[in-house]
Every structure is written in C-alpha cells, then in structure tokens.
Amino acid sequence: MICPVCNKKLKTINYENQEVDLCLKCGGIWFDKGELLKVVNGLLSKNKIAPQTVKETYRNKLIRIDKIKKLQRKCPRCNVVMNLKNYSYDSNIIIDKCPSCSGIWTDEGEMQAVAKYIKGNPDMDNYTKALVGACAEGQKSGSNKGKIITAIISLFYLGFASFFNGSEGFLIMLLFLILPLGCIFFGDELGGVTGVRFRTTFFAPVVTKPTPGAFVVFIGWVLLLFPIIFGILSAIGIFN
Ligand SMILES: [Zn+2]
Ligand SMILES: [Zn+2]
C-alpha cells in the first residue's frame, strides 16, 4: 500500500496486537475497519495516555468539515477519495475515512489524540459526578435540600459559563465556585478551623475563634447567589 500523503510505501507493523500500516516519512497510519479502536483501547488499558486537560475537555468551537481546506486523499486500499470526518462528531480531531472500506487514515499524532479524547478527564468527571451524587443522595434521604440546590445551581453556572465562554469561562466559574461550595458542603468543618490568616492588601485578620458552621454555610450561600443577585440588580437597572 502507498501513503496517501507522500506516496511512499507503507510499512506493516504490529501495534497493540493489530497489524497497521505506517508511513515512515510522515508518521501517518492506516487502520483497516475497526483497527483504530482496538489499538486505542490497547493503549488506554495499559494507561499509556495522559488525561485531557480541562481546556481540552471543554473546547470552544466545533470545527466544521466544510471549512477545512485539505488536499483530497485517496484510500490506500480502494483508491477512492476519502472523506474528512470530525472523529466522534465533536472531538475536533479530523481524520480521513474511506467511504468504501471504512478504513481510517490518521496523520501523525491523531491516533494518540483520539485515545486522549476517549479517555477524557477523569478528575472533571468525578467532580461532576460528586455534584450529581450530592443531588441524588439528598433526594433519597429527603434531607440536605441546601446541598441539592447548591449542586444544581453549580451545574447550571458551569454549563452557562462554558456555553458562552468555552474552556476559559468554565475555569473561571470553577475557581469562583470552590469557596462557596466549600462553605456550604463543609460549613461545620471549615467553621472549626482557627489560626488561619487571611491576607489581603490592606489588612490581615487572623481567625482565632471557631466560627459557627451555620454562619459559614450562610456566607457560602451569599457567595453562590451573588452572580444571580448581581444579574437581577443589573437587569432592573439598579446600577444605571
Ligand atoms: Zn506519508
Ligand atoms: Zn477504502
């Protein structure tokens, strides 16, 4: 078989127990139908792939295939022109797929990118799961209504921020949420912390007495609802 990019002969190699065809010049790899996923799963099961960063998980814009100007490449097996595909529709990894044999051509690094995409970001998944879990648990026991509402509001904020500002919005929102969520979820524990010095530019108060847990939770709520209150006040024109 011939490389669809550089017309050099492809070399058949064994990669994660699959026979794939590698171009030694450009690093592209040809996968027959189903081989790509098998190789990727092999790499993932051996933990050879780093997780996605938050920025990679929450990409800004979907790449549109019709906006890409790439040379048409021909399938090394069937010699028909391959189609560009956004892998899994939203990964923004643009691969070439043969409409006839369903084989896939990946340029150098694209196969690892696919593996990274499938792995995702387990930390972020756990964070979201913890929020959703708090919801579910509270519903089961009928208590912890505050925590359920907190989790719902947080998920809403994160979704809202990433929808309008992509990864950057998500990150800023995440940083914003850490303090109020900490206060609301761990009010009693945080209230018991003493000897902490809050450093600001003008003053540095030291916490010497335990703070009542309920008060910490209350502060958490004020912080959490601040964007909503601020939004309502701006909407009715109080700042004009
Ligand atoms: Zn090549
Ligand atoms: Zn083909």
Side-chain angles (χ1 to χ4, degrees), residues 30 32 74-82 97-104:
W30 171 257
D32 286 322
K74 284 183 176 169
C75 172
R77 280 224 188 275
C78 335
N79 211 31
V80 298
V81 172
M82 294 191 283
K97 189 172 183 180
C98 172
S100 169
C101 68
S102 294
I104 288 172

Side-chain angles (χ1 to χ4, degrees), residues 3 14-15 32 53 58 79 99-100 118 120 134 169 182 196-197 202 233:
C3 173
N14 188 300
Y15 198 11
D32 286 322
T53 62
Y58 297 89
N79 211 31
S100 169
I118 291 175
V196 178
R197 184 185 286 267
F202 300 108
L233 291 180

